Amino acid sequence: MHKPLPLQCTSLNFRGFQYAQAMLFATEEINNRTDLLPGISLGYKIYDVCGSIARGVRVTLALANGNEELSSPSQAPCTRPARVQAIMGETSSSPSMAIATVIGPFHIPMVSHFATCACLSDKTKYPSFLRTIPSDYYQSRALAQLVKHFGWTWVGAIRTNDDYGNNGMATFTETAQQLGICLEYSVSLFRTDPPDKIQKIIDIIKASTSKVIVAFLSHMDMDVLIHELSHHNLTGYQWVGSESWISDSQIAAMDKHHILDGAIGLSIPKAHVSGMREFMLDVKPLNSSGNELFTEFWETLFSCKFKQSKSSAGNQRECTGHEDLTGVQNSFTDMSLMPIFNNVYKGVYAVAHALHSMLSCNKTCNNKVQLDPYTTSQHIKRIHFKTKEGDEVYFNKNGDPAAKYEIINWQPTENGIVDFVTVGLHDASLLADKQLNLQNKSLIWANNSQQVPVSVCSEKCPPGTRKVLQKGKPVCCCDCLRCAEGEISNITDSITCVQCHPEFWSNERRDACVKKEAEFLSYQEIMGALLTAASLFGTCITAVVAFIFFKYRKTPIVRANNSDLSFLLLFSLTLCFLCSLTFIGQPSEWSCMLRHTAFGITFVLCISCVLGKTIVVLMAFRATLPGSNVMIWFGPAQQKLSVLGFTVVQVIICILWLTISPPFPFKNFKQFKDRIILECTLGSAVGFWAVLGYIGLLAMLCFILAFLARKLPDNFNEAKFITFSMLIFCAVWITFIPAYVSSPRKFSVAVEIFAILASSFGLLICIFFPKCYIILLKPENNTKKDMMGKGAPKSF
């Protein structure tokens, strides 16, 4: 077992030296003022913790106890009040957490200028910690909003493997998920990691498909990563950086291969403190004070060695102590971190204002007030003042300042030096949708491109498609599936397709619902026009026949065939032809009720007339037999009453149908998906089939009676013509039923119209055309002798 060697600080860090210089500048400025702490001088002790948590805790305990040098040997350690009223620092989050934990029980206030971990806002763990730099809670969310603003939904992430990086990236990841951003990978890095671990990170970046990398790294870890990236020449990636390195000119100077060109990120707003730059570059007072630090600082600055220096080497030039600072260009003379130096400046002034309040200073201060760290801590939390540059300084309940950031873009210049251009602002105190404010400035992206890089796992799904997640991949990776028929999506990246209203249908692109085409049998289309023409033609022919019968009403052939029933039959046939027109055109409530009832009543009237004529034929033949008086019981009055009686029955059926459940217009969406079938639904199917059944019953009765009278003398009766007409009528309507049921859409209406017209033409032609033929072309046969001829009957 061996005791580990003590920690050695092997090199001078100019950044840490600059922070110390900023504290000295603020302290001297306060001591030279008469309005702030008059008569009181601030003192200080500076410790170099070398970036070590252990060393930081050690010096903190020394400051808290103030027992490095006891005034008398008899005084016990840790029994007197702390000599220090406040601790300025630390720079990093992890050492700050350790130090704040140690000094928490002593309530010594600690004011950090660069520790940004959101965890330090927890006052239950770190009650006396305050800072002049915003919490990473706001920075992480701002970075996620920035990534979302440029449409990057598929990014990689690299973080420092400490409290700063892990906590910052955790908040970024949480916010990114809320904004729909996916991380392809998230890896951690620490500057002391072995080469094989860093190589794994390089391999992950190479294998990735995302083109944007969010780097939540400290500047020291970024130094290590830049060296490896340059070695592998990994260019072309868009870097998004945290405030720790995005505005650090040292990092830019190391980027010889332009890996980070076009980087964008958040930075502490630019600041100017008059006199600070000149003070920090003036190191002569440091030499005159006899400070041992001067020797190491000067040797590091000019790469030389003093003779008396223990580490002097023969191969280095000798320092004179009078070297010219004006020509030096390194991190010491670089003032790019002036916003952070300003944070140190604000912290010292915050402590001074708190002491000014505690000592009740006006023109003088009350020196008798016993100072204690707890009271000092409480006063610092309540201070609110403005610096000489006009910056407001105050702390919220968590010890944090207002969160405001500048958005920085790395724009390389012609001489190879990176220009940190402010392209926007982020103010966390505003509403969420107004926090990010990008100025109208041209940005430079990776590879010096003017176009915003694209970094998505899957392209956006256009309207007309929906997103479907790819199995085993994050939610940002998806396939675009076209919406099904009747469904649409009218926004980009829709996760669902919306069903169109039943009266609408999706267009070809599936991005809008268009009104379905209404389909019905119209007068404009060919089929409707032909049926209309046939109906009107039948009406005209019937009218012509009626005219012929009327003109020749006194001739034997018209008189022998019951002229009253013939004219009534012609009238009913006219109605039959015309009622077919009610089936054509867009269905309405009235047309639906009219078409079936008018059809049913007119056809019953028609069949009743034919039935009456058939009965008359049979009765007339019976009347010629000796002793028969049958015509007394079926005279003209009885014939008309029978027609009326048969028709009234149908009227009653129709009235019951219309009363109980009438036909009504119906939009049929089910039969065809892309169109609406406008049709008349039957209402009560029993009513419809009752109407048809009654017509069929009369037609069958008429057919049977006509068939029985078929062998009567040819010249005396028209029984065989009625038989033919009824045969046609029954054949048409028996065929109609299966054809009607099986016909789709408007064709079912056409079938019904065709059946009406066919049966009407059948009746008209079979019953009236032979008579018209005799009247017009064979007038010599239109005599009473021919009508009463006794020729042998012909078989049928």
Side-chain angles (χ1 to χ4, degrees):
M1 298 292 289
H2 297 282
K3 185 179 180 180
L5 295 173
L7 180 69
Q8 298 292 326
C9 293
T10 57
S11 62
L12 180 69
N13 185 335
F14 282 128
R15 287 296 187 214
F17 188 79
Q18 285 177 317
Y19 298 146
Q21 286 280 81
M23 188 190 76
L24 295 179
F25 170 75
T27 304
E28 290 195 14
E29 188 175 85
I30 292 167
N31 288 341
N32 290 331
R33 289 176 61 164
T34 57
D35 60 329
L36 187 62
L37 291 176
I40 301 292
S41 294
L42 294 179
Y44 55 84
K45 284 187 177 183
I46 300 176
Y47 286 90
D48 185 2
V49 299
C50 296
S52 167
I53 295 176
R55 192 179 179 98
V57 171
R58 178 182 172 186
V59 300
T60 300
L61 287 171
L63 287 169
N65 291 323
N67 63 349
E68 303 96 320
E69 297 175 5
L70 298 177
S71 56
S72 63
S74 61
Q75 194 167 15
C78 303
T79 57
R80 57 184 176 176
R83 285 179 159 188
V84 66
Q85 293 301 312
I87 295 175
M88 308 307 298
E90 227 267 6
T91 301
S92 301
S93 294
S94 291
S96 294
M97 292 168 65
I99 294 169
T101 301
V102 169
I103 63 171
F106 301 104
H107 300 289
I108 300 174
M110 174 183 179
V111 185
S112 174
H113 53 277
F114 212 24
T116 58
C117 180
C119 53
L120 287 163
S121 297
D122 186 352
K123 294 300 103 180
T124 58
K125 292 183 179 179
Y126 315 106
S128 59
F129 178 84
L130 305 102
R131 52 186 162 193
T132 52
I133 190 168
S135 163
D136 277 339
Y137 172 79
Y138 302 103
Q139 181 185 196
S140 299
R141 295 174 67 86
L143 282 175
Q145 292 176 21
L146 188 65
V147 170
K148 179 65 176 179
H149 176 81
F150 292 111
W152 300 325
T153 57
W154 187 239
V155 300
I158 305 176
R159 67 187 185 278
T160 295
N161 193 13
D162 62 5
D163 296 291
Y164 165 73
N166 292 331
N167 282 277
M169 187 54 69
T171 303
F172 171 82
T173 304
E174 179 185 351
T175 308
Q177 288 177 346
Q178 295 171 359
L179 296 176
I181 301 167
C182 298
L183 269 61
E184 183 179 11
Y185 58 87
S186 181
V187 293
S188 61
L189 168 72
F190 201 70
R191 51 191 171 274
T192 57
D193 283 342
D196 61 330
K197 184 175 180 182
I198 297 177
Q199 181 60 43
K200 285 182 180 178
I201 295 175
I202 300 298
D203 293 339
I204 289 172
I205 295 174
K206 283 182 177 180
S208 67
T209 58
S210 56
K211 295 300 178 184
V212 174
I213 302 174
V214 179
F216 218 100
L217 296 166
S218 69
H219 69 279
M220 292 177 286
D221 296 310
M222 197 65 190
D223 288 346
V224 176
L225 185 61
I226 279 292
H227 176 76
E228 290 298 323
L229 293 171
S230 299
H231 179 69
H232 291 85
N233 196 27
L234 280 179
T235 59
Y237 290 91
Q238 178 61 47
W239 290 83
V240 180
S242 60
E243 98 297 330
S244 179
W245 64 269
I246 197 67
S247 57
D248 195 330
S249 57
Q250 273 187 273
I251 302 293
M254 288 186 60
D255 187 16
K256 303 296 183 184
H257 290 74
H258 302 282
I259 303 293
L260 302 177
D261 280 4
I264 193 169
L266 301 178
S267 171
I268 305 303
K270 289 184 176 63
H272 172 73
V273 183
S274 57
M276 182 179 283
R277 176 185 174 85
E278 293 74 17
F279 178 88
M280 294 176 73
L281 293 177
D282 183 13
V283 292
K284 290 181 181 178
L286 188 65
N287 187 20
S288 60
S289 65
N291 195 325
E292 293 180 1
L293 182 60
F294 172 79
T295 301
E296 183 181 358
F297 163 73
W298 202 261
E299 289 178 347
T300 306
L301 185 63
F302 292 103
S303 300
C304 61
K305 292 292 181 183
F306 285 103
K307 281 186 178 181
Q308 68 272 25
S309 175
K310 295 178 182 179
S311 58
S312 145
N315 59 349
Q316 284 188 309
R317 63 186 181 87
E318 184 179 340
C319 296
T320 63
H322 300 286
E323 282 81 3
D324 186 13
L325 261 172
T326 57
V328 176
Q329 290 289 334
N330 60 16
S331 58
F332 172 72
T333 59
D334 172 39
M335 294 294 155
S336 63
L337 293 187
M338 183 60 74
I340 312 304
F341 305 153
N342 185 38
N343 285 344
V344 178
Y345 179 81
K346 289 177 182 178
V348 176
Y349 261 86
V351 175
H353 276 276
L355 293 173
H356 186 88
S357 173
M358 290 171 64
L359 298 175
S360 305
C361 297
N362 191 1
K363 291 185 179 180
T364 59
C365 296
N366 184 2
N367 293 328
K368 295 181 181 179
V369 174
Q370 181 67 45
L371 296 176
D372 69 281
Y374 177 78
T375 307
T376 305
S377 174
Q378 296 305 310
H379 276 77
I380 293 177
K381 291 176 182 178
R382 293 196 294 267
I383 58 97
H384 195 143
F385 65 94
K386 283 189 177 181
T387 66
K388 62 182 181 180
E389 309 298 339
D391 294 336
E392 275 192 287
V393 180
Y394 61 92
F395 302 100
N396 63 17
K397 63 180 181 180
N398 296 322
D400 299 327
K404 294 182 180 179
Y405 301 95
E406 287 182 351
I407 301 170
I408 301 296
N409 181 221
W410 284 32
Q411 299 188 3
T413 58
E414 293 180 358
N415 58 9
I417 299 174
V418 171
D419 187 11
F420 301 120
V421 179
T422 300
V423 295
L425 298 169
H426 188 279
D427 188 348
S429 64
L430 301 177
L431 295 174
D433 57 338
K434 296 181 179 178
Q435 292 178 355
L436 189 64
N437 180 24
L438 282 168
Q439 299 168 0
N440 190 17
K441 290 186 178 180
S442 58
L443 281 78
I444 301 296
W445 304 102
N447 291 333
N448 290 327
S449 171
Q450 301 290 329
Q451 297 293 325
V452 180
V454 176
S455 186
V456 293
C457 182
S458 303
E459 292 297 327
K460 290 183 178 295
C461 290
T465 62
R466 63 183 177 91
K467 291 170 62 174
V468 178
L469 298 182
Q470 295 178 0
K471 189 175 181 180
K473 290 191 176 181
V475 293
C476 298
C477 301
C478 61
D479 295 318
C480 301
L481 290 186
R482 192 165 186 244
C483 291
E485 289 184 340
E487 296 182 347
I488 65 156
S489 66
N490 54 8
I491 59 172
T492 303
D493 276 346
S494 174
I495 58 173
T496 58
C497 292
V498 181
Q499 185 78 35
C500 288
H501 186 272
E503 292 193 19
F504 291 81
W505 192 248
S506 55
N507 60 0
E508 186 61 29
R509 293 193 303 273
R510 305 283 201 272
D511 60 357
C513 288
V514 294
K515 198 167 181 64
K516 287 181 180 179
E517 180 184 351
E519 187 174 279
F520 56 91
L521 188 61
S522 68
Y523 293 102
Q524 286 76 25
E525 59 184 298
I526 296 175
M527 185 164 55
L530 290 174
L531 292 172
T532 302
S535 175
L536 295 176
F537 177 72
T539 305
C540 293
I541 294 297
T542 307
V544 170
V545 171
F547 175 76
I548 294 171
F549 264 55
F550 181 77
K551 184 177 179 181
Y552 297 97
R553 63 185 178 280
K554 296 186 182 296
T555 61
I557 195 168
V558 176
R559 292 168 62 88
N561 285 281
N562 199 329
S563 59
D564 290 343
L565 286 182
S566 294
F567 283 115
L568 190 57
L569 177 57
L570 287 170
F571 172 72
S572 63
L573 281 173
T574 304
L575 294 180
C576 288
F577 281 117
L578 291 176
C579 81
S580 63
L581 297 178
T582 62
F583 289 82
I584 304 174
Q586 184 171 342
S588 66
E589 188 174 350
W590 283 104
S591 69
C592 285
M593 289 192 293
L594 180 62
R595 62 172 58 170
H596 287 108
T597 54
F599 151 71
I601 294 170
T602 55
F603 260 81
V604 164
L605 180 61
C606 181
I607 300 300
S608 297
C609 292
V610 176
L611 183 60
K613 288 172 72 67
T614 307
I615 294 173
V616 167
V617 170
L618 288 172
M619 293 299 178
F621 181 75
R622 288 281 182 183
T624 60
L625 297 177
S628 176
N629 60 350
V630 69
M631 289 304 295
I632 297 174
W633 303 105
F634 203 71
Q638 287 82 1
Q639 295 168 20
K640 294 181 179 65
L641 283 174
S642 67
V643 171
L644 179 62
F646 288 134
T647 306
V648 166
V649 173
Q650 184 74 307
V651 170
I652 293 171
I653 293 173
C654 289
I655 289 173
L656 290 173
W657 183 14
L658 295 178
T659 304
I660 298 171
S661 181
F664 58 89
F666 174 69
K667 295 178 179 178
N668 189 340
F669 301 112
K670 295 182 179 179
Q671 195 167 8
F672 291 90
K673 295 179 180 178
D674 58 343
R675 66 193 76 178
I676 305 173
I677 309 301
L678 300 182
E679 56 188 26
C680 287
T681 189
L682 298 175
S684 171
V686 174
F688 175 71
W689 292 111
V691 167
L692 281 185
Y694 185 63
I695 295 172
L697 179 65
L698 292 181
M700 290 300 296
L701 179 61
C702 185
F703 174 74
I704 292 168
L705 292 177
F707 183 78
L708 293 175
R710 73 190 187 284
K711 294 189 180 288
L712 295 177
D714 289 342
N715 295 341
F716 181 80
N717 72 86
E718 53 184 346
K720 66 176 179 180
F721 300 119
I722 294 174
T723 305
F724 273 118
S725 66
M726 287 298 101
L727 190 60
I728 293 171
F729 186 91
C730 293
V732 166
W733 287 100
I734 290 171
T735 310
F736 158 77
I737 295 173
Y740 177 82
V741 172
S742 61
S743 296
R745 301 177 291 168
K746 58 189 176 185
F747 297 106
S748 61
V749 180
V751 166
E752 192 167 358
I753 296 173
F754 180 79
I756 292 171
L757 294 177
S759 54
S760 299
F761 274 113
L763 289 171
L764 180 65
I765 292 171
C766 290
I767 295 175
F768 291 100
F769 273 35
K771 297 177 181 62
C772 291
Y773 173 76
I774 294 174
I775 291 171
L776 298 176
L777 300 178
K778 297 286 186 178
E780 65 274 10
N781 294 335
N782 190 6
T783 63
K784 188 174 182 181
K785 181 181 178 180
D786 286 312
M787 294 302 105
M788 300 297 292
K790 305 270 185 184
K794 298 178 182 179
S795 50
F796 173 65

